[in-house]
Structure formats: C-alpha cells, structure tokens
Amino acid sequence: MTRPYNFSAGPATMPQEVLEQAASEMLDWPDASGKRCGMGVMEMSHRGKEFMSICAHAENTLRSLLAIPEHFKILFMQGGGLAENAIVPMNLSGRRAQPGQRGQTDFVVTGSWSQKSLLEASKYSDTHLAASSQASAFTDIPAAATWDLRPGASYVHICSNETIHGVEFQTPPDLKALGSDAALVVDFSSQVASRPVDWSRVGLAFGGAQKNLGPAGLTLVVVREDLLGHALSICPSAFNYQTVANNGSMYNTPPTYAIYMAGLVFDWLQRQGGIAAIEARNIAKAQALYHAIDTSGLYVNHVNADCRSRMNVPFFLRVEALNEAFLAGAADAGLLQLKGHKSVGGMRASLYNAMPLAGVQALVAYMQDFERRHA
Ligand SMILES: *Cc1c(COP(=O)(O)O)cnc(C)c1O
C-alpha cells in the first residue's frame, strides 16, 4: 500500500513497516522465537513476562542506539513534554538550594517551547533568563559565551530543537567550558534519535515520543544517576524520578502499547543502520528542502543558516494570498499537514526519521511546480 507523505509536526508519520508489524501482531503477539501468547500487547499485564520482555528490549535497544552510558537511567513516563516542564524543576531544582529557599534554575530561550518551560518552572523554582533570542524573533541561538549563568543554579535548560520556530542546537553547549557546574537539561522532544547525543555534556534529557519515537502517551526521560533523590516534597510520587527509576518505570502502569510501538521503531532504526546512518539521511533531506527554499523567488525561511533545524522547516510564501491554494494543491499531490503552527503562520514541513528522502523530493517538486504556475 502506498500512502501520502505526512509532514505533521507531531503526532507524526511512522515507519510503514512498523505499522504493518503492529497490525500483524495486534490480536496475538509473538515473542522473538515466533511463539504466540494468545494476547495482544495492550491486553497484557505490565508485570507479566511478555510485557516485561517487550519493555526490556525497548530500553536495551534505545540504550545501544543512542549510546546512553550506564550511569544514566532510562525512564518511560507519561505526561508529555509539557508535564516535564513541571516534573524537572520538582525533581532537580532543590539539589543545591539553601534550606527554606527555592532552588535556582537558568533558561536559554530560543523559541516557544523553552519559553513555556521557563514559565512553568517559575511555579517551583527561582528561574532566571540566561539568554534569549526573542529580539531576533527566534531566528538564531545566542552565543554560549554571552549566556548569563548563575553559579548556584541547579541546572540550565535548553530546548535542543524548537519545533515551532525551526531552530536547532547543532551540539549541546559545554557548560563546564563556560565555567558552570550546573547540570544541562535538554528538551529533545523533536530531536531525539535524529542524531547522536554527547552525553558527557548532558545531565537530563526528556522528550515526548510522538515526534520521532512512536505514539503519543510515552515520555522518555534519560537522567544521570547523581541527579536522582533531590525531589521537592510536593512532587507527586508517580513523577518522582527516583521512585520511577527504583521501580523500573513500573511504579504505576506505564503506557504499555506506546512503549511496544517505540520498541518497534528502535528495531527499525537499527535496521536502517543506526543513528549515524539516520543522521546522514536527515542531513540530506534537510539540505534538499533548504536548498529549494533558498533558490526560489516564492519561498523563504528566516532562520540563521547555522542553527536551522533538520527536523522542522518553517517556510513562508512571499505572496500570503497563495497559502490556501498551496495547501490544497499539496494535499491533492499526496503531501499532508504542511500548514505552519498557528503562532507563526506560513508552512512547516517536519522531516522526522520516518520521512523518506523521496517524500522531501516530492515536496520540492511540488513547490517548484507551484511556483512556476503562480509566477
Ligand atoms: C511537542 C513538544 C513538546 C510538548 O509535548 P507534549 O507531549 O504535547 O506535552 C515539548 N517540547 C517540544 C520541543 C516539543 O516539540
């Protein structure tokens, strides 16, 4: 079956092989040896041997794919990226706080998502804006050397890929080199598994699954062990990282079906050649689209070349009156969900791992044809 190309920012396109495998296993899940168990995955106890093996396989495959060191815990949680905006400060901000004082947390704001994170963390901690690119309408990333980091801060928060503004860190900042011994917290919801991670620079990374890992409902948290055990007393037990870690992500019922689907996506990633191979493909996809935008007279992207996102490419038609015709023609051509986020307008093409190069080539061909017809 051939399907249209789906450029949704999230929940987003999934590898077709994964959907087909899940469909074939829906009624009766087979283990690795092919032995059927008489149950579909969403009908299994999360403590039964079948689901425990599915969960362990997903975790081990992810650890190997992303080269996550042993001193980091992998937590499968619920609540999504926005819940983590509260869960992170509830777990980490008290780490260095004086008794009776709110812990210090520093934020680098490069778009809507990091801005939201700062606002939410202000409910639980003493937040501080270390740097912001709001003055440039979030089209660049302030140089790390200019960040105003506080010596007592427990952590520094960044969003490694701003899904709405299309701004991406090419490498995580080296806080030690900046003279800070705070932990780096990274919202990598829309970047995870698209490229390797330098874990030596990261204290905690979190992301909702629905961009690059699987269905909504699963939230991935990767946290360095020494950051556990400092939760504020108000932190709900089900969101206390230490509690979740001590129980192998089974303190409460985890999002079992989403974990299973993410595990199938991790297997698919391995079959593609792992993260280095998928990164090379992501670079080629992004280059093809940015090149088409930059060489056209109709389309424009405003983000600085050195921090353009590989995953989310916002672009605008210089003639806004053509927006509706562009989207309608795209849908007719089998190119879905290209409408930009309501806060910025225009168009947005999300090029997550499951989007093949052929999908980007089809989009570029459509854009060029549309431009010729409306020149
Ligand atoms: C999508 C997204 C979120 C929000 O995730 P929810 O699961 O909707 O809470 C947070 N941060 C980033 C960078 C995102 O792209």
Side-chain angles (χ1 to χ4, degrees):
M1 169 187 189
T2 54
R3 304 194 306 154
Y5 294 112
N6 178 354
F7 294 90
S8 172
T13 189
M14 294 275 289
Q16 184 158 330
E17 280 173 40
V18 166
L19 297 176
E20 286 166 351
Q21 183 177 348
S24 78
E25 297 178 355
M26 177 66 74
L27 300 187
D28 195 353
W29 176 79
D31 69 13
S33 72
K35 191 165 156 278
R36 298 271 168 180
C37 71
M39 300 176 279
V41 174
M42 66 181 91
E43 305 169 303
M44 294 172 181
S45 163
H46 58 298
R47 303 192 192 282
K49 69 175 188 332
E50 293 87 0
F51 184 73
M52 296 288 275
S53 79
I54 289 170
C55 192
H57 176 74
E59 185 178 327
N60 294 337
T61 313
L62 179 68
R63 190 180 287 282
S64 134
L65 270 173
L66 288 185
I68 300 171
E70 282 305 318
H71 63 291
F72 282 78
K73 295 282 189 199
I74 295 174
L75 310 179
F76 293 139
M77 300 182 64
Q78 305 192 45
L82 286 184
E84 288 302 323
N85 284 343
I87 296 169
V88 171
M90 280 195 283
N91 276 277
L92 263 50
S93 68
R95 202 163 60 96
R96 295 169 155 186
Q98 304 301 318
Q101 302 252 307
R102 291 181 143 209
Q104 295 185 343
T105 55
D106 289 353
F107 288 77
V108 177
V109 171
T110 53
S112 317
W113 289 112
S114 43
Q115 199 160 42
K116 277 199 172 125
S117 302
L118 188 161
L119 270 180
E120 185 73 3
S122 302
K123 294 182 182 173
Y124 308 101
S125 63
D126 164 17
T127 54
H128 166 68
L129 183 63
S132 167
S133 56
Q134 187 157 24
S136 78
F138 300 125
T139 56
D140 59 7
I141 294 178
T146 68
W147 296 359
D148 178 31
L149 303 175
R150 292 180 294 180
S154 170
Y155 66 84
V156 177
H157 175 109
I158 65 165
C159 175
S160 60
N161 182 61
E162 288 281 357
T163 319
I164 294 174
H165 289 89
V167 173
E168 182 168 14
F169 281 81
Q170 302 306 315
T171 49
D174 182 355
L175 293 184
K176 274 198 211 80
L178 297 171
S180 162
D181 59 357
L184 181 68
V185 168
V186 184
D187 174 356
F188 68 171
S189 295
S190 54
Q191 188 192 47
V192 55
S194 69
R195 56 164 82 206
V197 178
D198 181 353
W199 292 105
S200 73
R201 295 185 176 183
V202 174
L204 180 149
F206 69 82
Q210 70 271 25
K211 314 290 166 62
N212 229 353
L213 302 180
L218 166 64
T219 311
L220 172 68
V221 176
V222 182
V223 56
R224 217 173 57 211
E225 273 168 359
D226 64 283
L227 299 176
L228 299 174
H230 303 283
L232 306 181
S233 56
I234 56 162
C235 181
S237 307
F239 291 151
N240 183 319
Y241 293 140
Q242 178 84 73
T243 306
V244 178
N246 289 349
N247 290 279
S249 298
M250 307 243 182
Y251 171 74
N252 62 333
T253 312
T256 54
Y257 198 77
I259 291 172
Y260 156 74
M261 290 294 290
L264 297 186
V265 170
F266 302 155
D267 291 340
W268 175 83
L269 280 169
Q270 275 196 328
R271 293 198 298 277
Q272 306 306 302
I275 297 298
I278 212 78
E279 179 185 37
R281 213 159 87 180
N282 288 333
I283 291 172
K285 282 151 50 184
Q287 276 177 352
L289 183 51
Y290 284 116
H291 178 75
I293 293 169
D294 292 344
T295 54
S296 92
L298 180 59
Y299 310 106
V300 59
N301 165 281
H302 297 298
V303 178
N304 267 16
D306 61 1
C307 57
R308 281 174 161 183
S309 170
R310 291 177 189 163
M311 293 288 103
N312 310 98
V313 182
F315 62 94
F316 299 87
L317 275 60
R318 293 183 196 271
V319 186
E320 297 235 325
L322 290 175
N323 281 355
E324 288 309 315
F326 180 89
L327 287 167
D332 287 343
L335 306 165
L336 304 183
Q337 308 209 63
L338 284 162
K339 192 175 176 149
H341 190 271
K342 59 183 186 304
S343 66
V344 297
M347 308 295 153
R348 173 173 52 173
S350 295
L351 313 181
Y352 298 122
N353 290 341
M355 173 58 62
L357 180 58
V360 179
Q361 288 164 340
L363 173 60
V364 166
Y366 168 73
M367 288 167 67
Q368 291 170 343
D369 180 57
F370 183 87
E371 183 171 356
R372 266 191 301 276
R373 283 188 284 116
H374 293 85

Coordinates of all heavy atoms in Angstrom, one line a residue, residues 4 6 57 60 62 86 113 129 138 141 157 163 172 174 185 193 201 218-219 221 280 292 297 306 365:
P4 N 0.1 8.7 1.3 CA 0.6 10.1 1.1 C 1.8 10.3 2.0 O 2.0 9.6 3.0 CB -0.5 11.0 1.5 CG -1.8 10.1 1.5 CD -1.3 8.8 1.8
N6 N 3.4 12.4 5.0 CA 2.8 13.2 6.1 C 3.9 14.0 6.8 O 4.7 13.4 7.4 CB 2.1 12.2 7.0 CG 1.5 12.8 8.2 OD1 1.6 14.0 8.5 ND2 0.9 12.0 9.0
H57 N 13.4 -5.0 26.1 CA 14.0 -5.0 24.8 C 14.0 -3.5 24.3 O 15.0 -3.1 23.7 CB 13.2 -5.9 23.8 CG 13.7 -5.8 22.4 ND1 14.8 -6.4 22.0 CD2 13.1 -5.2 21.3 CE1 15.0 -6.2 20.7 NE2 14.0 -5.4 20.3
N60 N 16.8 -1.6 26.2 CA 18.1 -2.0 25.8 C 18.5 -1.5 24.4 O 19.6 -1.1 24.1 CB 18.3 -3.5 25.8 CG 18.2 -4.0 27.3 OD1 18.4 -3.3 28.2 ND2 17.8 -5.3 27.4
L62 N 17.2 1.1 22.8 CA 17.4 2.5 22.8 C 18.8 2.9 23.4 O 19.5 3.7 22.9 CB 16.3 3.2 23.7 CG 16.4 4.7 23.8 CD1 16.1 5.3 22.4 CD2 15.4 5.2 24.8
A86 N 7.2 20.8 34.5 CA 7.0 20.9 35.9 C 7.8 19.8 36.6 O 8.3 20.0 37.7 CB 5.5 20.8 36.2
W113 N 8.9 26.8 22.9 CA 9.0 25.6 23.8 C 9.8 26.0 25.1 O 9.4 25.7 26.2 CB 9.4 24.4 23.2 CG 8.4 23.8 22.2 CD1 8.5 23.8 20.9 CD2 7.1 23.3 22.6 NE1 7.3 23.3 20.4 CE2 6.4 23.0 21.4 CE3 6.4 23.2 23.8 CZ2 5.1 22.5 21.3 CZ3 5.1 22.6 23.8 CH2 4.5 22.3 22.6
L129 N 16.4 34.1 33.3 CA 16.6 34.1 31.8 C 18.1 34.3 31.6 O 18.6 35.5 31.7 CB 15.7 35.2 31.2 CG 15.8 35.3 29.7 CD1 15.2 34.0 29.0 CD2 15.0 36.5 29.2
F138 N 13.3 34.8 17.3 CA 13.7 33.4 17.4 C 14.2 32.8 16.1 O 13.8 31.8 15.6 CB 12.6 32.6 18.0 CG 12.1 33.0 19.3 CD1 10.8 33.3 19.6 CD2 13.0 33.1 20.4 CE1 10.4 33.7 20.8 CE2 12.6 33.5 21.7 CZ 11.3 33.8 21.9
I141 N 20.5 31.5 17.8 CA 20.8 31.0 19.1 C 21.8 31.9 19.7 O 22.9 32.0 19.1 CB 21.2 29.5 19.1 CG1 20.0 28.6 18.6 CG2 21.7 29.1 20.5 CD1 20.4 27.1 18.5
H157 N 18.5 25.0 31.4 CA 17.6 24.3 30.5 C 17.7 24.9 29.1 O 17.8 26.1 28.9 CB 16.1 24.6 31.0 CG 15.0 24.1 30.1 ND1 14.3 23.0 30.4 CD2 14.6 24.5 28.8 CE1 13.4 22.7 29.3 NE2 13.6 23.6 28.4
T163 N 10.6 23.2 17.8 CA 9.7 22.5 16.8 C 8.9 23.6 16.1 O 8.6 23.4 14.9 CB 8.8 21.6 17.6 OG1 9.5 20.9 18.6 CG2 8.1 20.6 16.6
P172 N 25.1 20.2 21.9 CA 24.8 20.8 23.2 C 25.9 21.7 23.7 O 27.1 21.4 23.4 CB 24.5 19.6 24.1 CG 25.1 18.4 23.4 CD 25.4 18.8 22.0
D174 N 28.7 23.2 26.1 CA 29.7 22.6 27.1 C 29.7 23.5 28.3 O 30.4 24.5 28.4 CB 31.0 22.5 26.5 CG 32.0 21.8 27.4 OD1 31.7 21.6 28.6 OD2 33.2 21.6 27.0
V185 N 19.9 20.5 31.2 CA 18.7 19.8 31.0 C 18.2 20.1 29.5 O 18.2 21.3 29.1 CB 17.6 20.3 32.0 CG1 16.2 19.9 31.5 CG2 17.9 19.8 33.4
A193 N 16.9 10.9 18.7 CA 17.1 9.8 17.8 C 17.3 10.3 16.4 O 17.4 9.5 15.4 CB 16.0 8.8 17.9
R201 N 28.0 16.0 28.1 CA 27.5 17.4 28.4 C 26.1 17.5 29.0 O 25.6 18.5 29.2 CB 27.6 18.2 27.0 CG 28.9 18.3 26.5 CD 28.9 19.2 25.3 NE 30.3 19.4 24.8 CZ 30.7 20.2 23.8 NH1 29.7 20.8 23.1 NH2 31.9 20.3 23.4
L218 N 3.7 8.3 25.6 CA 5.0 7.9 26.2 C 5.9 9.1 26.3 O 6.0 9.8 25.3 CB 5.7 6.8 25.4 CG 7.2 6.5 25.7 CD1 7.3 5.9 27.1 CD2 7.7 5.5 24.6
T219 N 6.6 9.3 27.4 CA 7.6 10.3 27.6 C 8.9 9.7 28.0 O 8.9 9.0 29.0 CB 7.1 11.4 28.7 OG1 5.8 11.7 28.4 CG2 8.0 12.6 28.6
V221 N 12.6 9.9 29.5 CA 13.5 10.7 30.3 C 14.8 9.9 30.5 O 14.8 8.8 30.8 CB 12.9 11.0 31.7 CG1 13.9 11.8 32.6 CG2 11.6 11.8 31.6
A280 N 22.7 10.9 8.6 CA 23.2 11.2 7.2 C 22.0 11.4 6.4 O 21.9 12.4 5.5 CB 24.1 10.1 6.7
A292 N 16.0 24.2 -1.9 CA 14.9 24.6 -2.8 C 14.3 25.9 -2.3 O 13.9 26.7 -3.1 CB 13.8 23.5 -2.7
G297 N 12.1 32.1 -5.7 CA 11.7 33.5 -5.5 C 10.4 33.6 -4.7 O 10.0 34.7 -4.3
D306 N 23.3 28.7 10.5 CA 24.0 27.8 11.4 C 23.1 27.1 12.5 O 23.6 26.3 13.2 CB 25.2 28.5 12.0 CG 24.7 29.7 12.9 OD1 23.5 30.0 12.9 OD2 25.6 30.4 13.4
A365 N 9.5 19.0 -5.6 CA 9.0 19.0 -6.9 C 7.7 19.8 -7.0 O 7.4 20.6 -7.9 CB 8.8 17.6 -7.5

